[in-house]
Amino acid sequence: MESEMHILETEKLQIGMTLGENIYRNEQLVISEGVTLNIRHIQMLKRMSIVQVKVLEKRSVKKAFPIKQEISEKYKSSVESFKKICYGVTIGNFVIYDEVKDCIDPLIRELETKPEMALKLWQIYTADFYTYEHSVKVCMLSILLSKWMNKPQVFIDEIGKVGLLHDIGKCNIPNEILNKPDVLTEEEFSVMKTHSTLGYVLLSSTKELDRNILKGVLHHHERFDGTGYPAKLSGKSIPEYARIVSVVDIFDAMTSNRIYREKMNPYKVFEIMSEGSSGALDSDISNFFLDKIKRSYLGELVLLNSGEVAKIHNVESGVHHRPIIELNGQIVDLSVNHSIEIKSLFIS
Ligand SMILES: [Fe+2]
Ligand SMILES: [Fe+2]
């Protein structure tokens, strides 16, 4: 396969790109030419203040998978506004209702006309501002899911606020724990788990926020089988806002880059979530969500474990993560052919 060399700014690097030069630090080779970049490589290059690097692009792959970075301006400005809200919280301010509204309302309007935008968000490279971007994405996906469920406008407005604010308590969790690149110790995890209660207490001072919104925030880590926190609620005793947000929260966390692991492609997430949804999540909600998402990928291109490119041909099969694909002119049902795996998906 033919390759082309490009010079690319470090800011624009993406996981999976091939490095086209050796990178040295103090005359020592730290990343070699030909390496497939992962999140740690990209972070290392940024830390070393390297502004641009050479990357190799395989021509046919480039054509099949155009890199999309056209992110909605409204999304970007909501992330910025939410960052300001979070900064206020870290210096001891309360959350101002109008600022929350100003952050969400443009997103609600955007989703009226471009609902597919929320489905493309998982492609965005997130590492440095995970909590902000995650909160805005969970907000948008919760709104979208509630619209799909035909919920009334009041419900949609409120769940948007639960989605945006669900992790606001993390602003008061020490950075060493929040951004630790390794697995948390038991003690650190118990500190991390306080974020839902911290968020609830903080938001209680914002009088305009309805109690149902506060309860959604407080209970977003409860699990359907009773294994969650803080109250170990189970089944339908978990408020509906929390049951919806937790489905979206888990989907977004798995499809985003984290400091300790790279994002998974949605098909891998479908597999994990369909297996786990019968216990931890409200399976009616999660199956409905996964079904809607998988349908939106009809006609998109996927990269297979063989290195070949295929098209999603039919999404009617009962298995979320094994659609029917079109490969070299042949129709292949992945729910029958188990030797083929989907490695990545790119939405046009
Ligand atoms: Fe959380
Ligand atoms: Fe979250």
Side-chain angles (χ1 to χ4, degrees):
M1 195 181 288
E2 264 188 282
S3 295
E4 253 180 86
M5 184 79 83
H6 286 274
I7 293 180
L8 199 65
E9 281 132 62
T10 314
E11 280 302 315
K12 293 185 181 158
L13 287 175
Q14 299 223 340
I15 289 164
M17 286 181 167
T18 309
L19 191 64
E21 62 178 322
N22 287 327
I23 303 290
Y24 295 91
R25 187 182 210 177
N26 301 329
E27 294 176 5
Q28 285 214 322
L29 181 66
V30 285
I31 316 178
S32 357
E33 180 183 342
V35 150
T36 305
L37 292 173
N38 64 26
I39 189 166
R40 282 175 204 279
H41 296 133
I42 296 173
Q43 283 170 340
M44 190 189 286
L45 290 165
K46 284 184 183 171
R47 271 202 301 275
M48 289 165 70
S49 304
I50 293 176
V51 184
Q52 52 184 33
V53 291
K54 288 181 188 159
V55 290
L56 276 175
E57 283 184 74
K58 308 256 189 317
R59 273 192 189 143
S60 62
V61 171
K62 192 181 153 200
K63 247 184 231 152
F65 296 132
I67 295 159
K68 290 278 173 189
Q69 281 298 338
E70 297 154 20
I71 302 155
S72 145
E73 287 305 315
K74 297 220 171 60
Y75 168 78
K76 281 195 239 167
S77 75
S78 289
V79 171
E80 282 306 312
S81 316
F82 187 63
K83 221 192 284 185
K84 281 186 200 129
I85 295 175
C86 290
Y87 176 71
V89 170
T90 57
I91 59 169
N93 295 344
F94 295 131
V95 172
I96 298 164
Y97 183 76
D98 285 345
E99 289 181 0
V100 171
K101 252 179 94 38
D102 290 348
C103 197
I104 299 176
D105 287 353
L107 296 174
I108 293 185
R109 282 198 296 276
E110 183 97 326
L111 285 169
E112 290 290 330
T113 52
K114 295 184 210 155
E116 74 285 354
M117 184 182 82
L119 301 172
K120 295 182 179 181
L121 293 172
W122 64 274
Q123 292 189 91
I124 300 170
Y125 174 73
T126 55
D128 298 341
F129 302 112
Y130 173 73
T131 302
Y132 312 124
E133 294 208 14
H134 167 70
S135 301
V136 174
K137 288 183 198 175
V138 170
C139 166
M140 293 177 78
L141 286 171
S142 306
I143 291 171
L144 195 64
L145 174 53
S146 305
K147 278 165 162 277
W148 285 334
M149 294 166 86
N150 285 324
K151 296 290 185 187
Q153 193 58 44
V154 182
F155 188 102
I156 289 166
D157 287 343
E158 291 197 341
I159 201 144
K161 294 183 179 89
V162 179
L164 185 75
L165 301 169
H166 76 286
D167 276 340
I168 191 97
K170 285 191 178 172
C171 298
N172 291 328
I173 300 288
N175 246 331
E176 313 82 82
I177 296 180
L178 205 56
N179 294 319
K180 188 177 171 183
D182 297 312
V183 180
L184 298 181
T185 64
E186 216 169 295
E187 200 179 320
E188 288 165 336
F189 190 52
S190 59
V191 174
M192 184 66 124
K193 279 171 33 179
T194 59
H195 78 273
S196 39
T197 312
L198 286 174
Y200 174 81
V201 172
L202 169 77
L203 296 172
S204 305
S205 303
T206 307
K207 295 288 169 253
E208 300 93 329
L209 288 174
D210 191 273
R211 275 203 68 76
N212 288 328
I213 297 174
L214 302 190
K215 281 192 192 159
V217 170
L218 179 65
H219 296 298
H220 78 272
H221 280 288
E222 305 289 356
R223 293 295 171 250
F224 211 68
D225 54 11
T227 57
Y229 58 86
K232 288 197 165 47
L233 299 182
S234 63
K236 300 270 164 127
S237 64
I238 304 169
E240 191 177 16
Y241 286 163
R243 277 184 279 130
I244 291 177
V245 166
S246 62
V247 167
V248 169
D249 185 27
I250 288 175
F251 180 80
D252 183 68
M254 288 201 274
T255 50
S256 299
N257 290 323
R258 303 302 304 273
I259 198 151
Y260 47 85
R261 65 152 172 74
E262 288 166 24
K263 67 184 173 193
M264 293 179 216
N265 89 73
Y267 284 93
K268 186 74 201 154
V269 176
F270 289 164
E271 186 182 346
I272 297 171
M273 284 184 75
S274 347
E275 279 166 5
S277 63
S278 51
L281 298 169
D282 182 332
S283 57
D284 288 344
I285 298 173
S286 68
N287 281 325
F288 178 76
F289 177 67
L290 298 181
D291 189 66
K292 281 287 198 183
I293 300 263
K294 92 174 174 190
R295 282 169 195 281
S296 73
Y297 296 155
L298 184 65
E300 302 293 357
L301 295 176
V302 286
L303 181 67
L304 306 175
N305 52 342
S306 59
E308 292 167 297
V309 174
K311 195 169 167 182
I312 304 291
H313 178 75
N314 188 318
V315 288
E316 295 302 322
S317 97
V319 195
H320 298 307
H321 62 285
R322 298 210 145 266
I324 295 171
I325 57 169
E326 189 187 320
L327 174 62
N328 302 325
Q330 305 272 319
I331 303 300
V332 185
D333 185 347
L334 297 191
S335 66
V336 178
N337 184 333
H338 286 270
S339 61
I340 299 178
E341 295 289 329
I342 294 177
K343 281 294 178 203
S344 54
L345 159 80
F346 282 77
I347 303 177
S348 53

